Amino acid sequence: MLPSTGVLCIKRFNSVHTCGATVRTCRNPRMGSDLVSAVVADRVRDQPLTRLTDVVFDLKNEYGLDISYQVTWLGVEKVRGEVYRDHATSFDQLRWYSDAVMQKNPNSYVNLEFDQKIGRFPRFKGNLLAAIAKGVNQGLFPVAFAIVDSENSSNWEWFLRNLKEVVGGKRTLTFDRIKYVNVSQKIGLMRKLWECAHAPTVTCFNEKFELLKKCNPAVIEDFLKDLHPKHWSNAYFSGRRYGEMCSNTTESFNNWVGQARHLPIARWVDMVRGQIMEQMSERRVKCTKWAGVICPKMEKKLVSAYNDSRAWCVSQANDDVYEVHSHPSVLVDVVKQTCSCFQW
């Protein structure tokens, strides 16, 4: 330091270090686990499944640092320990969050149930239950979701009781029960199973089912032993399937919220809320461009069905019942919304 000017002036530079930095390697790194956790903290919080290999690569790519997997693991685990504490805090925030939702979205439905004696939820980790509607234009419409401690009959009953508060009314609802069994790849029976499911009458179903069983009786009997036809076939189903015989909505919803599932619960719920809000906004804008009342895909189907039926003759029996002279002729009740072909 020059006393007259206050300027720092280096007159001689000695490049020999005595601090020992030159002998440090990956086994004796400059960057310890505490510094690693500080650098990757935000990333691990937003992406709890962050892989160690990605962290090591990014530290090398962005900072030129060679960090061992052991040091990286220690740093990431420290962040995850903090995130675990975030989960405890996040559960405490749920009551505040539910009050905020009801204030800003008055028609929403929120129900928090916890142990009244200790004032806490049973556990941090849990299962996601969801009710997803499938639109006629193949879109997903999340109706309700819940976080429960485990997937069992009592929790499903609790979920369905609360679901009534959201979708209450006189309209009959059809629930799709997913059963993941890969029969088609084992013995190639998907086509015959599909014919059984779509058979419009019991007689037709029995004929198709006999053909199915002849292919491999033991496998088919084991596959359908706990699965009554009323749950998967048109002929026995007592409700309305609205033309839908299968559904991949569960997998689609899981993929849709895949990243959010590993976040603390309050952040998870808010992220899903934001995704639903964006989805509704996008669809609202999209439907303003429709030329007709219904979505373009269903309008195209309606026009096609109309053109196919133009040659049919119709005789009126009374105010509600008509006979359609097609191949074969059928009886249609427009009030009950039934047809003698067993399809509507």
Side-chain angles (χ1 to χ4, degrees):
M1 178 74 69
L2 299 178
S4 59
T5 62
V7 176
L8 179 64
C9 179
I10 300 177
K11 295 185 177 181
R12 178 179 294 179
F13 172 68
N14 186 355
S15 63
V16 178
H17 293 272
T18 60
C19 61
T22 57
V23 298
R24 294 193 179 186
T25 63
C26 291
R27 297 181 180 278
N28 186 21
R30 298 181 180 89
M31 190 172 186
S33 59
D34 289 338
L35 192 53
V36 170
S37 63
V39 172
V40 302
D42 291 339
R43 175 178 178 176
V44 176
R45 289 177 187 276
D46 293 335
Q47 302 175 19
L49 298 183
T50 298
R51 299 184 303 174
L52 295 180
T53 53
D54 294 336
V55 175
V56 171
F57 175 81
D58 291 342
L59 290 176
K60 175 65 175 178
N61 187 50
E62 296 178 15
Y63 302 100
L65 297 172
D66 292 316
I67 307 300
S68 68
Y69 280 95
Q70 181 181 4
V71 174
T72 304
W73 178 82
L74 288 172
V76 172
E77 285 302 305
K78 289 178 180 179
V79 178
R80 286 176 177 165
E82 295 176 0
V83 171
Y84 182 82
R85 289 195 293 271
D86 287 348
H87 278 284
T89 304
S90 186
F91 272 87
D92 290 337
Q93 293 172 344
L94 282 179
R95 283 182 290 185
W96 167 86
Y97 185 84
S98 64
D99 292 339
V101 168
M102 297 307 298
Q103 180 181 359
K104 301 299 181 181
N105 299 277
N107 292 326
S108 299
Y109 178 80
V110 181
N111 184 12
L112 298 179
E113 290 193 9
F114 48 87
D115 192 325
Q116 298 291 337
K117 294 181 179 179
I118 61 176
R120 294 182 178 181
F121 293 95
R123 64 187 70 169
F124 289 160
K125 295 182 179 180
N127 291 67
L128 168 66
L129 307 182
I132 313 298
K134 186 176 182 181
V136 294
N137 203 26
Q138 307 302 313
L140 294 180
F141 294 85
V143 178
F145 59 87
I147 308 296
V148 296
D149 57 346
S150 62
E151 185 177 1
N152 52 46
S153 298
S154 61
N155 281 336
W156 270 115
E157 181 182 358
W158 173 85
F159 178 73
L160 293 175
R161 284 202 312 269
N162 284 276
L163 183 63
K164 289 176 60 177
E165 303 294 331
V166 180
V167 295
K170 297 181 179 180
R171 182 174 180 176
T172 302
L173 299 178
T174 300
F175 290 89
D176 181 26
R177 186 180 72 172
I178 304 295
K179 182 176 182 179
Y180 296 100
V181 179
N182 201 352
V183 177
S184 60
Q185 290 186 6
K186 290 182 179 179
I187 49 179
L189 299 179
M190 177 58 78
R191 181 64 186 179
K192 289 183 173 58
L193 185 63
W194 183 90
E195 291 176 351
C196 292
H198 285 78
T201 65
V202 174
T203 301
C204 183
F205 172 85
N206 291 335
E207 294 176 357
K208 302 293 183 182
F209 191 61
E210 288 301 320
L211 296 176
L212 176 65
K213 289 194 297 184
K214 288 180 180 179
C215 297
N216 197 321
V219 173
I220 296 302
E221 182 179 358
D222 181 67
F223 170 53
L224 298 175
K225 63 181 180 180
D226 297 322
L227 194 61
H228 193 279
K230 68 180 181 180
H231 296 306
W232 58 274
S233 68
N234 259 336
Y236 286 93
F237 188 69
S238 59
R240 297 177 181 176
R241 306 193 73 98
Y242 301 100
E244 295 291 339
M245 288 300 297
C246 60
S247 175
N248 59 355
T249 55
T250 301
E251 292 185 7
S252 298
F253 181 74
N254 285 337
N255 292 332
W256 194 52
V257 300
Q259 288 296 324
R261 287 181 302 170
H262 305 284
L263 296 174
I265 188 168
R267 293 179 62 192
W268 184 94
V269 172
D270 192 56
M271 180 173 286
V272 175
R273 178 202 59 79
Q275 289 180 233
I276 295 175
M277 180 181 68
E278 291 178 2
Q279 181 192 69
M280 294 174 64
S281 178
E282 291 173 0
R283 288 175 172 169
R284 192 179 300 113
V285 173
K286 188 175 181 179
C287 72
T288 59
K289 302 177 182 178
W290 293 354
V293 178
I294 59 178
C295 64
K297 181 176 180 179
M298 299 310 297
E299 186 173 15
K300 184 178 180 180
K301 285 188 176 182
L302 185 62
V303 172
S304 177
Y306 172 75
N307 291 332
D308 291 341
S309 63
R310 291 179 65 180
W312 297 346
C313 296
V314 179
S315 300
Q316 185 172 5
N318 55 41
D319 292 341
D320 306 324
V321 180
Y322 297 80
E323 181 181 358
V324 180
H325 303 279
S326 57
H327 303 285
S329 296
V330 293
L331 199 65
V332 178
D333 190 319
V334 294
V335 173
K336 295 181 180 179
Q337 297 185 350
T338 61
C339 178
S340 60
C341 72
F342 294 95
Q343 299 184 67
W344 177 257

